[in-house]
């Protein structure tokens, strides 16, 4: 039986899902081991299920999945979670890192909330060392592969 969060992640990932509902359910299981101060970087092309996974993680923190949307145009959405704020960042349309400093990126990445970042490669130099990096790959139709590495 896994005991540490690393053991639990290793038991859950890599995983393949066959529908948006399965991707969200995986997010729910992942969200159970994530908490305040954690940062999750979600790498993957458009349509790989990043926001769907976020909905599941959010649900694990008592944030209704139907309230979670991609913050593509706002860069950040903040939701009140069970144990503190849940920060959902999307750097897809980020032009300059300075935009993030104006938003208060330090609070998101180094604060007491759970921070989920889509398109993290655009702000890679700012990510904390302890960032959990998840890689989502589209396998065709509704199938997705979700894997992780710690660096």
């Amino acid at each position: 039986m896994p005991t540490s969060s690393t053991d639990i992640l290793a038991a859950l990932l890599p995983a393949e899902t066959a529908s948006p509902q399965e991707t969200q359910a995986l997010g729910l299981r992942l969200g159970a081991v994530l908490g305040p101060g954690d940062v999750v970087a979600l790498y993957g092309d458009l349509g790989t299920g990043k926001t769907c996974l976020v909905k599941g993680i959010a649900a694990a923190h008592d944030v209704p999945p139907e309230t979670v949307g991609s913050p593509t145009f706002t860069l950040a959405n903040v939701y009140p979670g069970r144990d503190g704020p849940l920060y959902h960042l999307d750097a897809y349309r980020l032009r300059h890192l300075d935009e993030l400093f104006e938003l208060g990126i330090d609070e998101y990445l180094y604060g007491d909330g759970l921070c989920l970042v889509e398109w993290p490669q655009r702000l890679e130099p700012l990510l904390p060392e302890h960032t959990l990096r998840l890689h989502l790959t589209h396998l065709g139709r509704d199938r997705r592969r979700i894997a992780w590495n710690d660096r």
Side-chain angles (χ1 to χ4, degrees):
M1 177 90 173
T3 54
S4 74
S5 35
T6 301
D7 291 338
I8 294 168
L9 287 170
L12 291 173
L13 300 172
E16 288 188 16
T17 62
S19 69
Q21 295 79 11
E22 285 185 20
T23 302
Q24 190 169 330
L26 176 62
L28 185 65
R29 292 190 301 278
L30 290 170
V33 299
L34 298 170
D38 287 333
V39 177
V40 180
L42 301 163
Y43 297 86
D45 293 332
L46 286 171
T48 54
K50 296 180 296 292
T51 301
C52 195
L53 191 69
V54 168
K55 287 178 182 231
I57 293 169
H61 291 269
D62 297 337
V63 176
E66 63 274 7
T67 66
V68 175
S70 179
T72 301
F73 294 100
T74 60
L75 294 179
N77 288 336
V78 180
Y79 304 99
R82 178 187 65 231
D83 300 319
L86 186 140
Y87 304 119
H88 182 195
L89 309 179
D90 186 329
Y92 183 73
R93 296 194 182 280
L94 184 69
R95 292 179 307 245
H96 305 285
L97 287 179
D98 291 346
E99 291 176 75
L100 292 172
F101 292 109
E102 293 170 12
L103 283 175
I105 190 69
D106 287 345
E107 175 64 27
Y108 299 141
L109 297 177
Y110 296 94
D112 292 334
L114 169 58
C115 185
L116 309 169
V117 184
E118 296 189 37
W119 300 96
Q121 59 273 30
R122 297 177 187 239
L123 55 110
E124 191 73 41
L126 304 177
L127 294 175
E129 188 174 317
H130 69 274
T131 299
L132 172 65
R133 289 165 168 82
L134 299 181
H135 300 269
L136 290 84
T137 307
H138 186 236
L139 300 176
R141 307 196 98 206
D142 285 337
R143 297 196 62 77
R144 306 290 187 267
R145 182 173 195 280
I146 299 96
W148 75 287
N149 64 356
D150 55 3
R151 282 305 297 140

